C-alpha cells in the first residue's frame, strides 16, 4: 500500500491476523481480493466450496472402500484446524464417506500444519499409537503425502490402504497417482484456474465493477488416471487443459461455509 498498489491479492494463512490489514486497506481505499480463506471485513474472495470438495472426495472414497476395502473405512485425517476452510474439508470428507459407509470412523484427527514435515511428524506419532486405519485423508497434498510417507517409513504395505489428497498443486500428486499404489483419489482445486479468477476479480475491482462476496472456483474428484482429462504431463512439466477445466460448473451455493462452524 505504501508503494501505491491498485489492488491487493492475499492468501490468508491466519484468518484473524489479516483483519488489521483489511482495515488498513479499506482506510486507504485499496480493494482486496482474498484467495482461499474468508476473513471478516473482506470485499471478495475467490475460493472453492471447501466442504463440498471434501464431501465429494469422501463419497468417492466410500465407493472405493466398498469395492476394494471390504466396505471398511477407518480414517487418519491429516488436517489443519487453524483455518476454517481446511476444517470444512475434513468435515465434508467424513460426511461424504458416511453417506456410502455409515459406520466409517475417524481414528486420528491430526494437525499436520499444512506442510510435509509437520504432517510426517504427527502421522508417524499417530501410527506408533494406533495403526488400525485404512484411509489417509489430507486437507492438501503436503498433508496426504506426509501421511503416506509416515506409513511407508513404518514399513507397512500399501495393500488395503487408500490415500486421498486435496489440491493438485505442482507435480507431486501426479507422481503419487502414477507411482503409489494407495494414492487413488485427488480432490483437484485447479490452482491455475483459481489464480486466473483472482486476477480477473482484481481487474474488475480496479475498474469499479461489482463483484460477489464469494467467487466460487470449480473442483473435481479425480480417480486414478482421471487427472489426464485435465492436465498434460511430459514427465517434467504439466500443462492445464483449459477447455476441460472451464467446462466444470462450480456450485451456485456451498453446502456449508465458515459461518456454519460458528453455529
Amino acid at each position: 500500500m505504501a508503494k501505491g498498489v491498485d489492488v491487493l491479492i492475499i492468501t490468508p494463512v491466519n484468518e484473524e491476523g489479516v483483519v488489521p490489514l483489511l482495515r488498513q486497506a479499506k482506510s486507504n481505499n485499496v480493494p482486496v481480493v482474498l484467495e482461499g480463506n474468508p476473513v471478516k471485513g473482506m470485499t471478495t474472495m475467490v475460493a472453492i466450496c471447501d466442504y463440498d470438495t471434501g464431501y465429494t472426495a469422501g463419497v468417492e472414497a466410500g465407493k472405493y472402500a466398498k469395492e476394494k476395502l471390504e466396505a471398511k473405512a477407518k480414517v487418519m485425517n491429516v488436517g489443519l484446524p487453524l483455518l476454517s476452510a481446511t476444517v470444512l474439508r475434513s468435515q465434508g470428507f467424513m460426511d461424504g464417506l458416511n453417506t456410502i459407509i455409515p459406520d466409517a470412523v475417524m481414528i486420528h484427527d491430526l494437525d499436520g500444519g499444512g506442510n510435509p514435515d509437520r504432517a510426517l511428524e504427527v502421522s508417524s506419532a499417530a501410527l506408533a499409537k494406533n495403526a488400525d486405519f485404512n484411509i489417509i485423508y489430507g486437507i492438501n497434498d503436503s498433508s496426504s503425502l506426509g501421511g503416506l510417507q509416515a506409513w511407508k517409513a513404518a514399513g507397512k504395505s500399501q495393500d488395503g490402504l487408500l490415500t486421498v489428497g486435496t489440491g493438485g498443486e505442482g507435480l507431486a500428486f501426479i507422481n503419487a497417482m502414477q507411482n503409489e499404489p494407495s494414492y487413488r483419489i485427488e480432490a483437484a482445486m485447479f490452482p491455475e484456474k483459481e489464480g486466473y479468477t483472482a486476477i480477473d476479480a482484481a481487474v474488475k475491482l480496479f475498474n469499479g465493477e461489482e463483484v460477489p462476496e464469494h467467487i466460487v472456483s470449480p473442483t473435481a474428484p479425480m480417480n486414478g488416471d482421471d487427472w489426464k482429462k485435465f492436465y498434460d504431463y511430459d514427465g517434467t512439466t504439466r500443462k492445464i487443459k483449459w477447455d476441460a477445466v472451464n467446462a466444470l460448473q462450480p456450485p451456485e451455493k456451498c453446502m456449508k461455509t465458515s459461518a456454519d462452524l460458528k453455529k
Side-chain angles (χ1 to χ4, degrees):
M1 281 182 276
K3 294 180 179 179
V5 298
D6 296 307
V7 185
L8 283 171
I9 301 177
I10 300 171
T11 301
V13 294
N14 183 318
E15 292 167 12
E16 293 302 318
V18 180
V19 172
L21 180 58
L22 292 185
R23 292 191 187 122
Q24 187 179 352
K26 188 173 183 179
S27 66
N28 284 276
N29 295 315
V30 176
V32 178
V33 178
L34 294 183
E35 184 277 324
N37 298 296
V39 176
K40 184 179 179 180
M42 67 184 186
T43 305
T44 188
M45 172 182 69
V46 175
I48 64 171
C49 283
D50 292 283
Y51 178 88
D52 305 47
T53 301
Y55 187 94
T56 54
V59 169
E60 293 303 316
K63 293 176 182 176
Y64 183 95
K66 221 171 186 182
E67 182 180 348
K68 306 284 188 180
L69 305 179
E70 299 178 347
K72 297 176 181 177
K74 298 180 179 182
V75 179
M76 178 174 77
N77 173 55
V78 189
L80 180 59
L82 179 66
L83 297 175
S84 59
T86 46
V87 171
L88 285 166
R89 290 176 202 174
S90 296
Q91 286 188 0
F93 180 79
M94 290 306 301
D95 288 349
L97 181 59
N98 282 129
T99 64
I100 307 298
I101 302 179
D103 61 352
V105 293
M106 185 185 292
I107 303 298
H108 295 295
D109 188 9
L110 309 177
D111 180 0
N115 68 76
D117 293 337
R118 174 68 177 166
L120 171 60
E121 178 186 352
V122 298
S123 297
S124 297
L127 265 165
K129 290 182 179 179
N130 183 0
D132 185 24
F133 57 88
N134 62 350
I135 297 176
I136 298 171
Y137 173 69
I139 51 82
N140 63 6
D141 290 340
S142 293
S143 301
S144 54
L145 290 168
L148 178 57
Q149 187 179 350
W151 182 275
K152 292 167 64 178
K156 299 178 71 64
S157 169
Q158 293 187 53
D159 293 341
L161 177 70
L162 169 64
T163 304
V164 182
T166 309
E169 63 270 18
L171 301 177
F173 89 94
I174 293 177
N175 290 327
M177 296 191 89
Q178 287 184 317
N179 301 313
E180 301 292 355
S182 70
Y183 207 111
R184 295 292 85 208
I185 300 172
E186 177 75 12
M189 294 169 53
F190 308 108
E192 299 95 332
K193 173 70 172 179
E194 194 152 327
Y196 183 98
T197 307
I199 292 293
D200 186 59
V203 172
K204 288 179 178 177
L205 288 172
F206 174 74
N207 290 328
E209 298 179 37
E210 291 279 334
V211 294
E213 186 177 55
H214 182 185
I215 302 170
V216 181
S217 193
T219 62
M222 298 192 293
N223 299 280
D225 289 336
D226 282 354
W227 63 268
K228 294 179 181 178
K229 298 176 184 177
F230 302 103
Y231 288 101
D232 287 319
Y233 178 49
D234 61 7
T236 304
T237 58
R238 76 179 196 180
K239 185 177 180 182
I240 191 171
K241 296 181 180 179
W242 281 109
D243 288 345
V245 174
N246 287 335
L248 295 171
Q249 292 297 316
E252 293 184 7
K253 184 179 179 181
C254 299
M255 294 166 67
K256 286 187 179 181
T257 67
S258 58
D260 295 296
L261 297 176
K262 300 170 184 176
K263 293 179 180 178

